[in-house]
Amino acid sequence: MKITNHIIKLKTAATLDFIDITEKVKEKIKETGITNGVINIQSLHTTMAIIVNEAEPLLISDMKTLLEKLAPRTFKYAHDNFEIRTVNMCDGECANGHAHNKAIHLPTSALLNISSHNLQLGQWQRVFAVELDRSRPRQIALQIMGR
Amino acid sequence: MKITNHIIKLKTAATLDFIDITEKVKEKIKETGITNGVINIQSLHTTMAIIVNEAEPLLISDMKTLLEKLAPRTFKYAHDNFEIRTVNMCDGECANGHAHNKAIHLPTSALLNISSHNLQLGQWQRVFAVELDRSRPRQIALQIMGR
Amino acid sequence: MKITNHIIKLKTAATLDFIDITEKVKEKIKETGITNGVINIQSLHTTMAIIVNEAEPLLISDMKTLLEKLAPRTFKYAHDNFEIRTVNMCDGECANGHAHNKAIHLPTSALLNISSHNLQLGQWQRVFAVELDRSRPRQIALQIMGR
């Protein structure tokens, strides 16, 4: 039984950037030499999600539209009212209430099977890191367990 | 430590078919002889979700109504515009943008505990495979790990 | 390889109570002595979710507002029509269709990495048990695996 931890570092480009990390994840699995097990792909951020879906550009544009409808940037979030907010304020704090509110409806992590030395995915399944906030440096933690 | 991989094959009946797979999952766990561990129940499709909730028929009808509201079939998805779309087109491609957009708001997999030879579930928890697209043959992958 | 199962017991205060269970989870991990592995934090209820997000009170108030918009208490749920419903009726059954319908859009469990004897979390990530129904006694199951 082997357990290894890895970090994937990314620089996202903009709000609702969908970054296909499938190949990077597969590489890390190959490196471990694990044949059968599981991998947990975990966002280390509260405004970045991990989703498993199809890499079709028009579909991704639809997803952006519907996520925007679910937690619109135009909604007045109390989290963004810096006149009353006192908790977790950083230098250069930006309004990102919409990003957190999109995040709770999307998974923080995806646990996927490893079978025959590879990520077990259906024909159209790809793994995406989804930037919900603005362009930022990001980290995805991978925990690979198996033998 | 044992790690085993299984496939459950299903034929779904229609859009928003909720299929209770709890008993099938329990059977697979029994077959492995594992006492303590985890099971990852993973949809191998981008338009099928795995949810854990209550098997109450009226509740399921409510869920269908609200999923339909979230990503309506009547919305014009760019993914379904076959005049402009060029990526991932198959023979007999059907309009299913609504199904993908429902999918990103639902889990692709459920990781559940195995305790005392059985799936650890609360009183009302049942595991459902949810068809978001039309009637199709489907596969659910189970990874069972423990000892 | 060690696998241990734990129960966290809670009494929630009201609908949409967000309970930060991060410290309780960390304690349980310390108790096991596990250095590297994963922990699955699983709600044992169909109207309680587990989310990973930021502990900022105004943000939590925003999340409540948007969850309420997604599955409003004012919507007429068939699940709550006790004149026609026959399945899973208990003594003192309360109308909670909204709670189940919020639940399917939120995770039932969170699988998080354990690295260097501790829960691997990003700077702002905290683990919350979210009460979607009314004030109730609740149980969260933890499965900790690693070595």
Side-chain angles (χ1 to χ4, degrees), chain B residues 77-89:
Chain B
Y77 298 92
H79 183 61
D80 299 339
N81 184 345
F82 300 155
E83 288 177 23
I84 59 165
R85 181 173 149 200
T86 56
V87 177
N88 291 356
M89 292 293 295

Side-chain angles (χ1 to χ4, degrees), chain B residues 23 45 101:
Chain B
E23 295 311 314
H45 308 280
N101 278 281

Side-chain angles (χ1 to χ4, degrees), chain A residues 12-15 47 92-96 98-99 131-136 138:
Chain A
T12 60
T15 308
T47 54
E93 186 71 32
C94 291
N96 69 353
H98 76 97
E131 177 59 76
L132 301 168
D133 203 344
R134 62 200 183 279
S135 167
R136 305 184 73 166
R138 294 298 204 178

Side-chain angles (χ1 to χ4, degrees), chain A residues 37 53 56 62 111 125 147, chain B residues 1 40 43 78-79 100 143:
Chain A
N53 216 287
E56 197 282 291
D62 291 327
L111 183 78
Q125 287 183 314
R147 64 163 177 226
Chain B
M1 181 72 192
N40 192 39
S43 159
H79 183 61
H100 289 284
Q143 192 81 323

Side-chain angles (χ1 to χ4, degrees), chain B residues 35-88:
Chain B
T35 312
N36 285 296
V38 288
I39 178 169
N40 192 39
I41 305 163
Q42 179 188 329
S43 159
L44 290 177
H45 308 280
T46 50
T47 53
M48 163 162 273
I50 304 296
I51 70 163
V52 179
N53 216 289
E54 186 182 338
E56 197 282 292
L58 296 176
L59 175 64
I60 289 170
S61 75
D62 291 327
M63 288 173 178
K64 292 179 186 184
T65 306
L66 274 90
L67 279 169
E68 200 52 41
K69 233 175 87 179
L70 192 64
R73 260 169 275 193
T74 51
F75 185 87
K76 282 210 175 314
Y77 298 92
H79 183 61
D80 299 339
N81 184 345
F82 300 155
E83 288 177 23
I84 59 165
R85 181 173 149 200
T86 56
V87 177
N88 291 356

Side-chain angles (χ1 to χ4, degrees), chain A residues 33-87:
Chain A
I34 286 172
T35 312
N36 285 297
V38 288
I39 177 169
N40 192 38
I41 304 163
Q42 180 188 328
S43 159
L44 290 177
H45 307 279
T46 49
T47 54
M48 162 161 274
I50 304 297
I51 70 163
V52 179
N53 216 287
E54 187 182 336
E56 197 282 291
L58 296 175
L59 175 64
I60 289 170
S61 74
D62 291 327
M63 288 173 178
K64 291 178 187 185
T65 307
L66 274 90
L67 279 169
E68 201 51 43
K69 234 175 87 178
L70 193 64
R73 261 168 276 192
T74 51
F75 185 87
K76 282 208 176 315
Y77 298 92
H79 182 61
D80 299 339
N81 185 346
F82 300 154
E83 288 176 23
I84 59 166
R85 183 173 147 200
T86 55
V87 177

